[in-house]
Amino acid sequence: MAAAKWVTLRSQWLGQQLRELREANGLILKDAAEYLQRDPATVSRFETGGYPIRRPDLLALLDLYGVADPRRREEFIRLSQEVWKKGWWDGYAGEVTGAFVDFVWLESRSLEIRGFDSMILPGLFQTSRYARVVISTVERGAAETQIDRWIDFRMGRQKILDGDNPPRFMSIIDESVLRREVGGRECQAEQLCHLADQAARPNVEIRVLPLSAGAHSCSTGAFRIFTLGEGFPGVGYAETPKGAIYVESPDSESFVRMYEETLKLTLSPKESVEFIIATAEDLSR
């Protein structure tokens, strides 16, 4: 049996807004379908995100629902363009889950990314050597050629930090992540030197959460907070043993609170870089 098609976040967002507009106007699916001269099932798929709506149908529905404000119409059009837009990650279709495609899309479209990591370093900061150890450990039994592809994918994600308008990435990293010898002392030392270099980027801020800080708000594990442009909700992301979860604002504010409370316990950016370099030097002895 073929796997079900993944419904992307952007497609869900657009569909949800169209459904809310229809209901606010007191219309049922049949009313919208008749206006578009389509089947109600098709309109239903527009609203669930199962089938992305195309521009002519979108503009017709905005007319039907009385959306006359040019700015709001432009927001809908921009979102519909994102639904259909292809990215470099499409070349890895079938090799990464649909949920992670959403993650990479969020990375690529964010104005700001905030995160906390307690086990391994963020993928955007990993060296290929460190990434190989992490991926090989998680994906035991995978062919080397497949692991190479996953590493290429991870390295490709890092290009967003070099773009013309890169996102601001604010990262809290638990001290235990720095001391965990992934791939051995040499590999970890090399990775930490690379991490210190990344902290020198004007759009990157790295904060170390020292073990001496004790208990903290982020005890449930790693997460990300994505802040996108106008027309998009804020999104919180976390991984679970059953897969990734995405939480939209206002519910994502719980992630923001955890981040801000834990930030108070971290070393300053300057102190953090000094700590990272010192830890690398200890590993190199």
Side-chain angles (χ1 to χ4, degrees):
M1 181 181 294
K5 180 180 180 295
W6 178 260
V7 179
T8 64
L9 278 176
R10 48 202 187 274
S11 186
Q12 290 181 59
W13 288 338
L14 179 57
Q16 178 181 323
Q17 291 183 61
L18 290 174
R19 183 180 67 252
E20 290 173 354
L21 281 173
R22 175 178 58 75
E23 292 175 347
N25 280 272
L27 302 173
I28 61 175
L29 283 171
K30 184 180 178 182
D31 298 327
E34 288 179 350
Y35 186 80
L36 295 178
Q37 297 184 333
R38 288 184 174 273
D39 188 273
T42 299
V43 178
S44 177
R45 286 195 291 271
F46 289 159
E47 294 185 353
T48 60
Y51 184 77
I53 190 170
R54 293 189 180 275
R55 185 185 179 103
D57 287 329
L58 173 63
L59 294 177
L61 286 182
L62 294 180
D63 290 340
L64 175 64
Y65 300 152
V67 180
D69 180 63
R71 184 174 177 180
R72 194 173 184 204
R73 288 176 72 92
E74 184 56 36
E75 287 179 2
F76 273 101
I77 292 169
R78 186 169 66 249
L79 181 51
S80 71
Q81 290 171 338
E82 288 290 339
V83 169
W84 286 99
K85 187 175 292 184
K86 297 288 186 180
W88 64 267
W89 50 83
D90 288 298
Y92 295 84
E95 297 178 84
V96 295
T97 65
F100 202 68
V101 167
D102 280 335
F103 182 92
V104 179
W105 178 79
L106 286 168
E107 278 186 337
S108 72
R109 294 293 182 267
S110 289
L111 302 178
E112 180 180 85
I113 304 170
R114 286 171 285 177
F116 169 74
D117 289 275
S118 57
M119 295 299 293
I120 60 171
L121 289 169
L124 294 182
F125 294 151
Q126 291 180 13
T127 64
S128 58
R129 185 179 180 185
Y130 183 99
R132 182 174 295 278
V133 175
V134 171
I135 293 172
S136 298
T137 301
V138 174
E139 303 292 345
R140 293 189 184 277
E144 280 299 311
T145 53
Q146 180 60 75
I147 291 174
D148 288 342
R149 288 282 289 169
W150 284 327
I151 293 171
D152 287 343
F153 182 73
R154 187 161 298 182
M155 297 301 105
R157 287 170 49 210
Q158 296 177 1
K159 293 178 182 178
I160 66 166
L161 296 177
D162 296 315
D164 294 333
N165 295 294
R168 178 165 172 74
F169 188 14
M170 303 167 66
S171 176
I172 297 176
I173 300 173
D174 192 87
E175 179 185 339
S176 61
V177 178
L178 307 180
R179 298 196 179 280
R180 181 169 292 107
E181 296 177 14
V182 175
R185 295 174 69 87
E186 182 183 342
C187 177
Q188 183 70 10
E190 176 188 74
Q191 171 63 77
L192 294 186
C193 290
H194 178 71
L195 181 63
D197 290 340
Q198 297 305 297
R201 292 177 180 270
N203 57 312
V204 169
E205 179 180 287
I206 295 175
R207 298 287 198 109
V208 173
L209 177 65
L211 295 175
S212 59
H216 54 85
S217 299
C218 296
S219 58
T220 53
F223 62 84
R224 294 287 181 274
I225 306 164
F226 298 98
T227 302
L228 288 84
E230 188 175 1
F232 295 93
V235 180
Y237 167 93
E239 292 185 6
T240 76
K242 280 292 190 178
I245 60 169
Y246 292 90
V247 182
E248 300 170 25
S249 57
D251 294 336
S252 61
E253 287 303 307
S254 59
F255 288 89
V256 176
R257 287 193 296 273
M258 287 193 298
Y259 179 89
E260 291 180 345
E261 286 299 314
T262 303
L263 187 65
K264 298 173 185 177
L265 304 175
T266 63
L267 303 179
S268 71
K270 182 175 182 295
E271 292 170 333
S272 295
V273 172
E274 292 172 349
F275 189 94
I276 291 167
I277 292 173
T279 305
E281 290 173 348
D282 287 343
L283 290 167
S284 298
R285 292 194 179 110

